[in-house]
Amino acid sequence: MAGRVLGKTLAAVSLSVALASVTVKSSGGHAFSTCRNLFSSSWFHLNSNVMSGSSGANENSHIKARTSPYPGSEVQRTQVPNEKVGWLVDWNDYNPVDYTAAPVLAEPIWADPPIGESNFSPKFNEEDGHVERRSWNGLYEIENGKPRNPVGRTGLTGRGLLGRWGPNHAADPIITRWKRDRSGNKITHPISGKNILQFVAIKRKDCGEWAIPGGMVDPGEKISATLKREFGEEALNSLQKSSAEKRELEEQLHKLFSQKHLVIYQGYVDDPRNTDNAWIETEAVNYHDKTGEIMDNLILEAGDDAGKVKWVDISDKLKLYASHSQFIKIVTEKQDAHWSEDSEADCHGL
């Protein structure tokens, strides 16, 4: 348990790219064999500079993956200008800094060995035993035995704080309900006229910012199980519950997580921990409690990586960790809920 929690703490996901596709599902789990179908033409239109063949990065993508210093260190990345992010752009003098954090080099259970070790032969772009090395973005390139970031250069090689070479898979549950008055009636915004949506937010211990609860997928674990586990650990403090309390909690979580849900995003995320050889990908999923009855029976209690937890009213005034607000915005669009007081706001301008 300690090893998994440490690994999750070091590689907790941060989200920062726009919506790829939205799908209604009744159960979780990666469907990588059909991942190309999930990434529709609209995804390529919205994210035309995300793939490795891009000539550069637009102002909204692959920004945090180039920031310095690298998280938890004083390591400065080689500066990568927008026009040289794409791998197809020639840059003969590119000399990225090599860095892998000491806890990763210690080879805990959640981390790969260094490339080149005699007992380590990873199967990239495949399901490698219990480790998922396939990408939501399709096939990624391998150069000198190491996977190459599908978006482009980051100014840093190695794995940084990430355990896996290539994609490091995460899951992020977005739990929502309608804001209601004491009589149980939905509350509408006085200007937009739309119902106000709330979601469960945690305050991260590492940076003090409010965020969506979430974490890394354990080897062999289904996404649906990760979503439920992470929400229980961070928003309900399930790790500290007694056996009886855990059983009762599991029953309530089953009701919430077994209903139909919206898959908000599946793919690469622009994270400050990404490197040229290791990056975070996530599946962000919205579970909406229409009546509020399920969540009314669950007492929010911060645990694990969370310092605080609470229900937060959703609007464009939210200031969240990384770009979590982009995913929250998509949820409001799908639920036809209030987002902005500006009637002229472009709902799809990500």
Side-chain angles (χ1 to χ4, degrees), residues 43-313:
W43 185 89
F44 286 100
H45 174 71
L46 288 171
N47 300 277
S48 59
N49 287 324
V50 168
M51 302 304 288
S52 61
S54 64
S55 59
N58 63 38
E59 60 184 10
N60 295 318
S61 69
H62 206 53
I63 301 301
K64 298 181 186 300
R66 292 182 281 158
T67 56
S68 291
Y70 187 87
S73 75
E74 297 181 358
V75 175
Q76 298 290 320
R77 298 175 185 265
T78 297
Q79 291 187 358
V80 180
N82 285 354
E83 65 272 14
K84 291 188 177 181
V85 168
W87 294 111
L88 294 183
V89 178
D90 290 334
W91 189 1
N92 296 330
D93 295 331
Y94 180 53
N95 186 28
V97 176
D98 184 74
Y99 173 68
T100 300
V104 178
L105 292 175
E107 297 187 29
I109 190 171
W110 47 267
D112 290 332
I115 294 290
E117 283 200 1
S118 58
N119 61 341
F120 181 55
S121 300
K123 298 178 181 178
F124 294 121
N125 287 304
E126 298 182 34
E127 187 175 7
D128 188 8
H130 292 300
V131 178
E132 183 55 79
R133 299 193 189 277
R134 289 172 292 180
S135 168
W136 286 114
N137 289 34
L139 297 178
Y140 50 88
E141 297 181 2
I142 309 300
E143 185 177 69
N144 297 324
K146 298 180 180 179
R148 196 162 71 169
N149 190 309
V151 176
R153 300 179 176 97
T154 68
L156 190 145
T157 58
R159 284 173 289 163
L161 288 170
L162 300 181
R164 304 295 179 189
W165 295 97
N168 289 252
H169 291 286
D172 295 272
I174 305 172
I175 310 302
T176 58
R177 71 179 183 185
W178 296 112
K179 186 176 184 179
R180 299 176 184 271
D181 60 24
R182 293 183 178 179
S183 299
N185 300 312
K186 296 178 183 178
I187 298 177
T188 60
H189 192 273
I191 296 179
S192 70
K194 293 189 174 184
N195 295 328
I196 297 175
L197 199 63
Q198 297 180 313
F199 84 105
V200 176
I202 63 165
K203 190 173 185 179
R204 294 173 59 96
K205 288 181 179 179
D206 56 357
C207 62
E209 295 183 279
W210 290 94
I212 299 168
M216 307 309 292
V217 180
D218 286 343
E221 185 177 45
K222 291 184 177 180
I223 290 291
S224 56
T226 307
L227 291 163
K228 183 165 64 173
R229 172 175 58 76
E230 286 297 331
F231 183 73
E233 291 177 1
E234 296 196 341
L236 303 173
N237 198 23
S238 62
L239 293 176
Q240 302 302 318
K241 302 294 185 184
S242 67
S243 297
E245 289 174 327
K246 286 181 179 179
R247 286 194 296 270
E248 182 178 352
L249 185 62
E250 177 62 29
E251 291 180 4
Q252 295 299 322
L253 287 176
H254 178 73
K255 293 179 182 179
L256 178 64
F257 284 86
S258 62
Q259 63 183 348
K260 288 186 178 181
H261 52 271
L262 290 173
V263 176
I264 299 302
Y265 177 77
Q266 296 168 314
Y268 179 94
V269 291
D270 183 21
D271 189 281
R273 284 154 287 203
N274 291 351
T275 74
D276 285 5
N277 307 123
W279 60 91
I280 291 177
E281 298 189 10
T282 198
E283 179 169 325
V285 183
N286 175 216
Y287 292 87
H288 181 59
D289 187 3
K290 294 182 180 179
T291 65
E293 295 176 356
I294 299 176
M295 291 305 302
D296 284 347
N297 292 323
L298 292 173
I299 299 176
L300 298 181
E301 181 182 351
D304 201 16
D305 296 332
K308 295 181 180 179
V309 59
K310 67 177 181 179
W311 285 102
V312 174
D313 292 356

